Amino acid sequence: MLSVPLNRDGVPDADEIKIVTDIGAWLKVNGDAIYATRPWKIYGEGPSTTNTAPKSRFGGAADFRNYTAEDIRFTTKGDSLYAFIMAWPDSRNAVIKSLATSSSQLDGRKVADVSLLGYGGKVEWTQDENGLNVKLPAEPPSASAVTLKIRGVTA
């Protein structure tokens, strides 16, 4: 559900239309990782998962975070784990520490395949004791968070 402010004539202004259009474009690329998904064992990893977020005027966490490429969020659907990389890494290398070969989250399972939603080519990846290491293409397939589809690690 979205709350879109309207002008007094009942029509949203150009800024609001752009926001809704941008959300729709992002969902067209990444919607498979949103619709009909379930939570994974952990919701995410990275610096933004600590409880040091500033408080809002109502006492809860303010939702204005400067995400980094280390900030990852997870969902699952069927035999796929989706990992949202919250900021495009300048190095074009993403590391998901929760998917290290020694991770308790995997119960001994190994990654079988990795793809990047909205990207037509294959991505190179390796899995080791430091995490799942993914080499990303030169350009992100969407303007904000990008999503990896990972197979082989869900129960």
Side-chain angles (χ1 to χ4, degrees):
M1 182 182 331
L2 296 174
S3 174
V4 179
L6 303 175
N7 293 322
R8 50 185 168 189
D9 63 358
V11 176
D13 66 27
D15 291 339
E16 301 303 330
I17 291 172
K18 181 177 177 351
I19 290 169
V20 172
T21 301
D22 289 350
I23 291 170
W26 186 87
L27 282 171
K28 188 177 272 188
V29 172
N30 299 284
D32 192 45
I34 297 291
Y35 299 115
T37 60
R38 305 293 306 155
W40 191 46
K41 297 177 180 185
I42 59 172
Y43 79 94
E45 70 179 47
S48 66
T49 61
T50 63
N51 289 330
T52 60
K55 299 290 183 190
S56 72
R57 63 185 174 146
F58 300 109
D63 201 14
F64 301 102
R65 300 179 187 136
N66 292 320
Y67 291 113
T68 71
E70 294 177 5
D71 289 306
I72 313 286
R73 299 296 182 267
F74 300 105
T75 61
T76 63
K77 179 172 20 176
D79 64 351
S80 298
L81 172 67
Y82 295 95
F84 297 86
I85 303 169
M86 302 303 284
W88 188 255
D90 292 333
S91 66
R92 293 185 22 228
N93 291 307
V95 178
I96 303 174
K97 295 175 184 173
S98 299
L99 299 179
T101 52
S102 59
S103 173
S104 62
Q105 306 303 329
L106 297 183
D107 300 323
R109 291 184 299 274
K110 292 186 178 173
V111 171
D113 187 49
V114 178
S115 60
L116 177 63
L117 296 186
Y119 177 64
K122 292 198 176 270
V123 293
E124 294 177 31
W125 60 274
T126 59
Q127 184 183 21
D128 59 28
E129 64 278 351
N130 297 315
L132 177 66
N133 306 284
V134 182
K135 185 173 182 175
L136 299 169
E139 296 296 323
S142 53
S144 55
V146 297
T147 311
L148 295 172
K149 183 176 184 177
I150 303 160
R151 300 189 50 153
V153 296
T154 57

mmCIF file of all heavy atoms in Angstrom, residues 85 92-101 111 114 123-136 148 150:
data_model
loop_
_atom_site.group_PDB
_atom_site.id
_atom_site.type_symbol
_atom_site.label_atom_id
_atom_site.label_comp_id
_atom_site.label_asym_id
_atom_site.label_seq_id
_atom_site.Cartn_x
_atom_site.Cartn_y
_atom_site.Cartn_z
ATOM 1 N N ILE A 85 21.334 -6.673 -2.463
ATOM 2 C CA ILE A 85 22.523 -5.879 -2.173
ATOM 3 C C ILE A 85 22.054 -4.429 -2.155
ATOM 4 O O ILE A 85 21.630 -3.896 -3.178
ATOM 5 C CB ILE A 85 23.622 -6.106 -3.227
ATOM 6 C CG1 ILE A 85 23.971 -7.598 -3.288
ATOM 7 C CG2 ILE A 85 24.849 -5.255 -2.918
ATOM 8 C CD1 ILE A 85 24.829 -7.977 -4.460
ATOM 9 N N ARG A 92 32.576 -3.734 -7.791
ATOM 10 C CA ARG A 92 31.775 -4.714 -8.538
ATOM 11 C C ARG A 92 31.895 -6.115 -7.951
ATOM 12 O O ARG A 92 31.573 -7.093 -8.609
ATOM 13 C CB ARG A 92 32.130 -4.706 -10.028
ATOM 14 C CG ARG A 92 31.730 -3.429 -10.709
ATOM 15 C CD ARG A 92 31.951 -3.399 -12.202
ATOM 16 N NE ARG A 92 32.040 -4.683 -12.834
ATOM 17 C CZ ARG A 92 33.002 -5.017 -13.690
ATOM 18 N NH1 ARG A 92 33.938 -4.162 -13.996
ATOM 19 N NH2 ARG A 92 33.005 -6.209 -14.244
ATOM 20 N N ASN A 93 32.348 -6.221 -6.713
ATOM 21 C CA ASN A 93 32.429 -7.509 -6.027
ATOM 22 C C ASN A 93 31.533 -7.463 -4.798
ATOM 23 O O ASN A 93 31.667 -6.561 -3.977
ATOM 24 C CB ASN A 93 33.870 -7.815 -5.596
ATOM 25 C CG ASN A 93 34.757 -8.084 -6.791
ATOM 26 O OD1 ASN A 93 34.446 -8.924 -7.621
ATOM 27 N ND2 ASN A 93 35.856 -7.365 -6.881
ATOM 28 N N ALA A 94 30.628 -8.417 -4.699
ATOM 29 C CA ALA A 94 29.758 -8.524 -3.529
ATOM 30 C C ALA A 94 30.184 -9.743 -2.725
ATOM 31 O O ALA A 94 30.483 -10.794 -3.302
ATOM 32 C CB ALA A 94 28.304 -8.660 -3.965
ATOM 33 N N VAL A 95 30.204 -9.593 -1.403
ATOM 34 C CA VAL A 95 30.537 -10.708 -0.520
ATOM 35 C C VAL A 95 29.392 -10.872 0.466
ATOM 36 O O VAL A 95 29.046 -9.923 1.183
ATOM 37 C CB VAL A 95 31.859 -10.464 0.243
ATOM 38 C CG1 VAL A 95 32.142 -11.623 1.179
ATOM 39 C CG2 VAL A 95 33.006 -10.253 -0.725
ATOM 40 N N ILE A 96 28.819 -12.072 0.495
ATOM 41 C CA ILE A 96 27.737 -12.371 1.432
ATOM 42 C C ILE A 96 28.309 -13.309 2.480
ATOM 43 O O ILE A 96 28.487 -14.507 2.245
ATOM 44 C CB ILE A 96 26.520 -12.987 0.713
ATOM 45 C CG1 ILE A 96 26.041 -12.044 -0.395
ATOM 46 C CG2 ILE A 96 25.404 -13.274 1.714
ATOM 47 C CD1 ILE A 96 24.953 -12.611 -1.264
ATOM 48 N N LYS A 97 28.617 -12.746 3.642
ATOM 49 C CA LYS A 97 29.295 -13.490 4.700
ATOM 50 C C LYS A 97 28.431 -14.609 5.268
ATOM 51 O O LYS A 97 28.942 -15.645 5.682
ATOM 52 C CB LYS A 97 29.740 -12.532 5.801
ATOM 53 C CG LYS A 97 30.775 -11.549 5.309
ATOM 54 C CD LYS A 97 31.116 -10.521 6.368
ATOM 55 C CE LYS A 97 32.098 -9.503 5.791
ATOM 56 N NZ LYS A 97 32.329 -8.401 6.704
ATOM 57 N N SER A 98 27.124 -14.418 5.281
ATOM 58 C CA SER A 98 26.213 -15.441 5.814
ATOM 59 C C SER A 98 26.223 -16.722 4.988
ATOM 60 O O SER A 98 25.704 -17.741 5.428
ATOM 61 C CB SER A 98 24.784 -14.899 5.881
ATOM 62 O OG SER A 98 24.716 -13.780 6.723
ATOM 63 N N LEU A 99 26.793 -16.667 3.797
ATOM 64 C CA LEU A 99 26.848 -17.840 2.928
ATOM 65 C C LEU A 99 28.253 -18.423 2.831
ATOM 66 O O LEU A 99 28.585 -19.122 1.875
ATOM 67 C CB LEU A 99 26.298 -17.496 1.537
ATOM 68 C CG LEU A 99 24.836 -17.048 1.526
ATOM 69 C CD1 LEU A 99 24.387 -16.699 0.123
ATOM 70 C CD2 LEU A 99 23.930 -18.096 2.140
ATOM 71 N N ALA A 100 29.079 -18.163 3.845
ATOM 72 C CA ALA A 100 30.405 -18.782 3.913
ATOM 73 C C ALA A 100 30.239 -20.285 4.078
ATOM 74 O O ALA A 100 29.244 -20.759 4.638
ATOM 75 C CB ALA A 100 31.197 -18.204 5.091
ATOM 76 N N THR A 101 31.200 -21.055 3.605
ATOM 77 C CA THR A 101 31.103 -22.512 3.692
ATOM 78 C C THR A 101 31.000 -22.989 5.139
ATOM 79 O O THR A 101 30.428 -24.051 5.393
ATOM 80 C CB THR A 101 32.314 -23.183 3.016
ATOM 81 O OG1 THR A 101 33.514 -22.614 3.544
ATOM 82 C CG2 THR A 101 32.270 -23.002 1.517
ATOM 83 N N VAL A 111 26.173 -23.550 -2.198
ATOM 84 C CA VAL A 111 25.511 -22.827 -3.281
ATOM 85 C C VAL A 111 25.681 -23.614 -4.583
ATOM 86 O O VAL A 111 26.770 -24.091 -4.894
ATOM 87 C CB VAL A 111 26.104 -21.409 -3.423
ATOM 88 C CG1 VAL A 111 25.596 -20.714 -4.667
ATOM 89 C CG2 VAL A 111 25.805 -20.588 -2.173
ATOM 90 N N VAL A 114 24.160 -18.998 -8.970
ATOM 91 C CA VAL A 114 23.895 -17.595 -8.633
ATOM 92 C C VAL A 114 23.594 -16.846 -9.917
ATOM 93 O O VAL A 114 24.308 -16.983 -10.913
ATOM 94 C CB VAL A 114 25.110 -16.937 -7.928
ATOM 95 C CG1 VAL A 114 24.831 -15.473 -7.626
ATOM 96 C CG2 VAL A 114 25.475 -17.687 -6.662
ATOM 97 N N VAL A 123 26.889 -14.446 -14.008
ATOM 98 C CA VAL A 123 27.822 -13.803 -13.084
ATOM 99 C C VAL A 123 28.803 -14.857 -12.582
ATOM 100 O O VAL A 123 28.445 -16.018 -12.404
ATOM 101 C CB VAL A 123 27.101 -13.122 -11.893
ATOM 102 C CG1 VAL A 123 26.286 -11.935 -12.364
ATOM 103 C CG2 VAL A 123 26.231 -14.096 -11.125
ATOM 104 N N GLU A 124 30.034 -14.437 -12.382
ATOM 105 C CA GLU A 124 31.038 -15.328 -11.820
ATOM 106 C C GLU A 124 30.914 -15.298 -10.307
ATOM 107 O O GLU A 124 30.681 -14.236 -9.718
ATOM 108 C CB GLU A 124 32.441 -14.866 -12.216
ATOM 109 C CG GLU A 124 32.726 -14.958 -13.693
ATOM 110 C CD GLU A 124 34.108 -14.429 -14.030
ATOM 111 O OE1 GLU A 124 35.024 -14.545 -13.176
ATOM 112 O OE2 GLU A 124 34.260 -13.889 -15.125
ATOM 113 N N TRP A 125 31.067 -16.471 -9.681
ATOM 114 C CA TRP A 125 30.958 -16.529 -8.229
ATOM 115 C C TRP A 125 31.797 -17.678 -7.685
ATOM 116 O O TRP A 125 32.076 -18.646 -8.388
ATOM 117 C CB TRP A 125 29.501 -16.673 -7.787
ATOM 118 C CG TRP A 125 28.825 -17.911 -8.308
ATOM 119 C CD1 TRP A 125 28.197 -18.060 -9.499
ATOM 120 C CD2 TRP A 125 28.748 -19.191 -7.649
ATOM 121 N NE1 TRP A 125 27.723 -19.347 -9.626
ATOM 122 C CE2 TRP A 125 28.051 -20.066 -8.498
ATOM 123 C CE3 TRP A 125 29.201 -19.668 -6.419
ATOM 124 C CZ2 TRP A 125 27.789 -21.384 -8.168
ATOM 125 C CZ3 TRP A 125 28.947 -20.997 -6.086
ATOM 126 C CH2 TRP A 125 28.243 -21.827 -6.951
ATOM 127 N N THR A 126 32.184 -17.538 -6.431
ATOM 128 C CA THR A 126 32.855 -18.599 -5.691
ATOM 129 C C THR A 126 32.311 -18.568 -4.268
ATOM 130 O O THR A 126 31.818 -17.541 -3.797
ATOM 131 C CB THR A 126 34.392 -18.419 -5.652
ATOM 132 O OG1 THR A 126 34.692 -17.158 -5.043
ATOM 133 C CG2 THR A 126 34.990 -18.494 -7.044
ATOM 134 N N GLN A 127 32.417 -19.693 -3.608
ATOM 135 C CA GLN A 127 31.995 -19.787 -2.213
ATOM 136 C C GLN A 127 33.170 -20.340 -1.424
ATOM 137 O O GLN A 127 33.739 -21.373 -1.787
ATOM 138 C CB GLN A 127 30.767 -20.696 -2.082
ATOM 139 C CG GLN A 127 30.201 -20.769 -0.681
ATOM 140 C CD GLN A 127 29.034 -21.747 -0.584
ATOM 141 O OE1 GLN A 127 28.875 -22.638 -1.404
ATOM 142 N NE2 GLN A 127 28.224 -21.569 0.449
ATOM 143 N N ASP A 128 33.535 -19.655 -0.342
ATOM 144 C CA ASP A 128 34.633 -20.114 0.496
ATOM 145 C C ASP A 128 34.346 -19.789 1.958
ATOM 146 O O ASP A 128 33.214 -19.411 2.294
ATOM 147 C CB ASP A 128 35.974 -19.526 0.027
ATOM 148 C CG ASP A 128 35.997 -18.003 0.042
ATOM 149 O OD1 ASP A 128 35.279 -17.378 0.848
ATOM 150 O OD2 ASP A 128 36.756 -17.418 -0.760
ATOM 151 N N GLU A 129 35.360 -19.910 2.797
ATOM 152 C CA GLU A 129 35.176 -19.687 4.235
ATOM 153 C C GLU A 129 34.885 -18.220 4.583
ATOM 154 O O GLU A 129 34.460 -17.918 5.695
ATOM 155 C CB GLU A 129 36.391 -20.183 5.025
ATOM 156 C CG GLU A 129 37.683 -19.438 4.732
ATOM 157 C CD GLU A 129 38.398 -19.928 3.473
ATOM 158 O OE1 GLU A 129 38.021 -20.952 2.887
ATOM 159 O OE2 GLU A 129 39.346 -19.239 3.062
ATOM 160 N N ASN A 130 35.063 -17.297 3.618
ATOM 161 C CA ASN A 130 34.768 -15.886 3.852
ATOM 162 C C ASN A 130 33.365 -15.493 3.411
ATOM 163 O O ASN A 130 32.865 -14.446 3.811
ATOM 164 C CB ASN A 130 35.789 -15.000 3.128
ATOM 165 C CG ASN A 130 37.179 -15.205 3.665
ATOM 166 O OD1 ASN A 130 37.386 -15.256 4.878
ATOM 167 N ND2 ASN A 130 38.136 -15.352 2.775
ATOM 168 N N GLY A 131 32.741 -16.299 2.573
ATOM 169 C CA GLY A 131 31.397 -15.987 2.115
ATOM 170 C C GLY A 131 31.179 -16.370 0.664
ATOM 171 O O GLY A 131 32.013 -17.012 0.032
ATOM 172 N N LEU A 132 30.039 -15.944 0.143
ATOM 173 C CA LEU A 132 29.736 -16.093 -1.274
ATOM 174 C C LEU A 132 30.275 -14.836 -1.948
ATOM 175 O O LEU A 132 29.880 -13.726 -1.598
ATOM 176 C CB LEU A 132 28.235 -16.225 -1.509
ATOM 177 C CG LEU A 132 27.790 -16.308 -2.967
ATOM 178 C CD1 LEU A 132 28.301 -17.592 -3.619
ATOM 179 C CD2 LEU A 132 26.284 -16.211 -3.073
ATOM 180 N N ASN A 133 31.200 -15.003 -2.872
ATOM 181 C CA ASN A 133 31.850 -13.897 -3.566
ATOM 182 C C ASN A 133 31.307 -13.843 -4.982
ATOM 183 O O ASN A 133 31.450 -14.814 -5.736
ATOM 184 C CB ASN A 133 33.363 -14.118 -3.593
ATOM 185 C CG ASN A 133 33.912 -14.354 -2.206
ATOM 186 O OD1 ASN A 133 34.045 -13.427 -1.432
ATOM 187 N ND2 ASN A 133 34.189 -15.611 -1.877
ATOM 188 N N VAL A 134 30.702 -12.719 -5.343
ATOM 189 C CA VAL A 134 30.068 -12.583 -6.653
ATOM 190 C C VAL A 134 30.672 -11.395 -7.386
ATOM 191 O O VAL A 134 30.721 -10.285 -6.847
ATOM 192 C CB VAL A 134 28.540 -12.389 -6.514
ATOM 193 C CG1 VAL A 134 27.883 -12.298 -7.885
ATOM 194 C CG2 VAL A 134 27.918 -13.504 -5.688
ATOM 195 N N LYS A 135 31.123 -11.639 -8.614
ATOM 196 C CA LYS A 135 31.616 -10.564 -9.472
ATOM 197 C C LYS A 135 30.434 -10.044 -10.271
ATOM 198 O O LYS A 135 29.818 -10.787 -11.042
ATOM 199 C CB LYS A 135 32.725 -11.061 -10.388
ATOM 200 C CG LYS A 135 33.329 -9.954 -11.202
ATOM 201 C CD LYS A 135 34.533 -10.421 -11.986
ATOM 202 C CE LYS A 135 35.088 -9.217 -12.736
ATOM 203 N NZ LYS A 135 36.304 -9.525 -13.429
ATOM 204 N N LEU A 136 30.129 -8.768 -10.101
ATOM 205 C CA LEU A 136 28.965 -8.157 -10.732
ATOM 206 C C LEU A 136 29.348 -7.501 -12.057
ATOM 207 O O LEU A 136 30.512 -7.162 -12.278
ATOM 208 C CB LEU A 136 28.357 -7.126 -9.781
ATOM 209 C CG LEU A 136 27.876 -7.703 -8.444
ATOM 210 C CD1 LEU A 136 27.536 -6.586 -7.471
ATOM 211 C CD2 LEU A 136 26.684 -8.612 -8.651
ATOM 212 N N LEU A 148 20.379 -10.821 -6.007
ATOM 213 C CA LEU A 148 20.969 -12.080 -6.448
ATOM 214 C C LEU A 148 19.979 -13.202 -6.168
ATOM 215 O O LEU A 148 19.369 -13.244 -5.091
ATOM 216 C CB LEU A 148 22.274 -12.365 -5.703
ATOM 217 C CG LEU A 148 23.411 -11.388 -5.955
ATOM 218 C CD1 LEU A 148 24.565 -11.690 -4.994
ATOM 219 C CD2 LEU A 148 23.873 -11.457 -7.387
ATOM 220 N N ILE A 150 19.920 -17.078 -5.548
ATOM 221 C CA ILE A 150 20.890 -18.095 -5.148
ATOM 222 C C ILE A 150 20.153 -19.405 -4.970
ATOM 223 O O ILE A 150 19.153 -19.479 -4.248
ATOM 224 C CB ILE A 150 21.580 -17.663 -3.837
ATOM 225 C CG1 ILE A 150 22.237 -16.295 -4.048
ATOM 226 C CG2 ILE A 150 22.584 -18.703 -3.368
ATOM 227 C CD1 ILE A 150 22.524 -15.548 -2.770
#
